[in-house]
Amino acid sequence: MILRTLALLRYLQGASHTAQEAQATVQQACDYRWLRGELHHGVITDPTTALADDTPAVAITLAYPATRARLAGGRWPENLGERERCFVEGAHACRAAGAPPYRPLESLSRGLAYGAASVLTDSARMQYLIDQRALRLVWRRPGHLPEALARRLTAGSAATPGVFLLEVRVPARRDEMALRGVWLDQALDRYRRILPRPAGH
């Protein structure tokens, strides 16, 4: 495992990465893989939004119980009204929602399972979402949820008096939607204009 980890680091370093940058790239790829796997739990909450560069997008929202452990991961105000006005963006939003925490060796081990080329691709997809400010986490009381989510969620208990909502804005139209990881890959690759389009597209 150590030799495979070193081989992955050398591969990424060959793509002009330092050791620290290589670890960050693998972690970013792991964050994306987590998000990709969570997508099917989402609900379309805004079919006509936009990214930071005004690209038309669809907002998908994922909901997570605001457990004590998740609340402890950030500086959420005690006052509930103030808490609802706070938000977290980017990779930190995924981490606050429950993505695996940053552990260099563990992340590199997970990266090995995907393969070096896949790591670079997934990291680039995550970076696109971060650059477009397409990831945002907010806290909401059960009675203040978007209607689309309120229909699917049970009101919080005393132990979890609120819900974390992770919004992901994806460059797409409503009629293109498919809440699957493969669809997310394709939508991001098309708008990033980095990967070549399939023949005939």
Side-chain angles (χ1 to χ4, degrees):
M1 178 62 76
I2 296 296
L3 292 177
R4 292 182 65 197
T5 299
L6 291 174
L8 176 61
L9 277 171
R10 281 197 297 270
Y11 179 93
L12 295 176
Q13 288 171 337
S16 301
H17 282 64
T18 65
Q20 187 174 7
E21 288 171 336
Q23 290 179 353
T25 295
V26 174
Q27 180 61 45
Q28 193 162 265
C30 291
D31 289 340
Y32 177 79
R33 298 291 296 193
W34 174 84
L35 180 66
R36 187 182 189 276
E38 294 290 300
L39 193 69
H40 68 282
H41 296 302
V43 171
I44 299 170
T45 47
D46 189 346
T48 55
T49 186
L51 300 179
D53 64 358
D54 294 326
T55 299
V58 174
I60 302 162
T61 302
L62 302 159
Y64 303 91
T67 60
R68 292 184 184 277
R70 286 194 175 104
L71 285 168
R75 299 176 181 174
W76 299 95
E78 290 297 323
N79 180 279
L80 300 187
E82 292 179 10
R83 189 182 295 178
E84 287 194 319
R85 291 192 289 274
C86 294
F87 61 87
V88 181
E89 289 188 314
H92 296 295
C94 292
R95 203 66 42 70
Y102 178 73
R103 296 190 181 98
L105 289 179
E106 180 182 329
S107 297
L108 285 168
S109 297
R110 290 201 304 268
L112 289 171
Y114 308 144
S118 178
V119 164
L120 291 173
T121 301
D122 287 343
S123 177
R125 289 165 176 158
M126 187 67 177
Q127 189 60 52
Y128 176 81
L129 291 172
I130 293 170
D131 291 343
Q132 292 294 332
R133 303 185 68 181
L135 299 165
R136 176 177 287 203
L137 183 85
V138 298
W139 180 91
R140 290 289 181 267
R141 283 169 274 194
H144 294 188
L145 296 174
E147 183 179 351
L149 284 168
R151 290 196 299 264
R152 290 183 50 172
L153 294 174
T154 303
S157 64
T160 56
V163 179
F164 276 134
L165 302 180
L166 176 61
E167 182 187 82
V168 186
R169 284 181 289 160
V170 182
R173 298 189 308 269
R174 175 66 182 262
D175 59 2
E176 299 174 331
M177 286 297 303
L179 296 179
R180 298 192 302 270
V182 172
W183 169 82
L184 180 63
D185 293 346
Q186 293 170 345
L188 296 179
D189 291 346
R190 179 174 57 185
Y191 282 90
R192 287 190 309 120
R193 302 185 187 282
I194 292 177
L195 302 181
R197 295 186 180 187
H201 285 66

